[in-house]
Amino acid sequence: MNRLQINQTTLSLAKGDITRCEVDAIVNAANESLLGGGGVDGAIHRAAGPKLLAACRLLNGCRTGEAKLTPGFRLKATYVIHTVGPVWRGGTHGETELLASCYQKSLELADANGIRTLAFPAISTGIYGYPLSQATKIAVGTIKTYLENNPQTSSTEITFVCFDDATVHAYEQAFEELE
Ligand code: ADP
């Protein structure tokens, strides 16, 4: 299964490059400095152009589990929501709550800005080492709970953009486990 409908919002998954998504906002798996990095963060900065880094410099960083908004500049996406996932340190350092908070805060920011279409990468599952099956369950579960609790949300389409097949399979599994 790769699609879920919760109130007026469709939650789905797609394989591809998040920098090419034509949505109101893409989410960046950033680091606390917000000054760019590797993985999806580097790709977003390259695609958005140097104005993104200039905008990020004005934000004074972002704590793990929090989220901040910038324009998308050269991206097709109007906005970038920068959130900082936890580094996996064995699971006993609040990683679950911090990762859930990334999704929660990103959705709150999307709602505060009237964002209707939103794309998430698999936060923390690359360089930050979060086990994929656990991370995707947290992503799907947190968003589902948010949508159930906020039926007035502006989000109509939320997409998990997967860079590889392992990530696609992990989300499919997470969707199925909600049944
Ligand atoms: P983190 O530091 O939060 O682990 P990474 O960027 O290393 O962030 O990885 C997060 C996820 O984003 C991984 O699944 C990685 O494969 C994926 N990813 C990397 N580049 C892109 C991209 N251009 N579009 C979508 N996902 C991407």
Side-chain angles (χ1 to χ4, degrees), residues 16-19 29 38-41 43 121-129 161 163-164 167:
D17 178 349
I18 202 167
T19 65
V40 71
D41 193 7
I123 299 163
S124 282
T125 67
I127 297 160
Y128 281 3
V161 180
F163 212 45
D164 54 33
T167 305

Side-chain angles (χ1 to χ4, degrees), residues 28 30-31 33-38 41-42 45 53 56:
N28 181 15
N31 57 53
S33 77
L34 294 186
L35 299 180
D41 193 7
H45 275 272
L53 183 57
C56 284

Side-chain angles (χ1 to χ4, degrees), residues 32-153:
E32 286 193 336
S33 77
L34 294 186
L35 299 180
V40 71
D41 193 7
I44 289 172
H45 275 272
R46 280 192 297 278
K51 285 187 177 168
L52 180 60
L53 183 57
C56 284
R57 281 192 201 285
L58 302 175
L59 298 176
N60 292 314
C62 181
R63 292 203 174 150
T64 301
E66 299 289 327
K68 293 191 177 181
L69 185 93
T70 65
F73 299 104
R74 286 187 202 151
L75 293 167
K76 293 213 169 77
T78 308
Y79 299 105
V80 180
I81 292 174
H82 306 264
T83 188
V84 183
V87 175
W88 178 257
R89 293 195 286 152
T92 55
H93 294 79
E95 289 96 327
T96 305
E97 294 75 15
L98 289 166
L99 186 60
S101 175
C102 288
Y103 288 96
Q104 172 83 22
K105 294 285 170 71
S106 295
L107 290 169
E108 288 173 6
L109 204 47
D111 272 339
N113 289 279
I115 287 164
R116 293 162 58 86
T117 56
L118 183 61
F120 280 97
I123 299 163
S124 282
T125 67
I127 297 160
Y128 281 3
Y130 210 112
L132 194 50
S133 69
Q134 292 178 48
T136 51
K137 274 176 212 150
I138 292 165
V140 174
T142 305
I143 294 177
K144 180 171 181 272
T145 301
Y146 182 89
L147 296 174
E148 286 167 352
N149 292 338
N150 294 277
Q152 80 298 353
T153 181

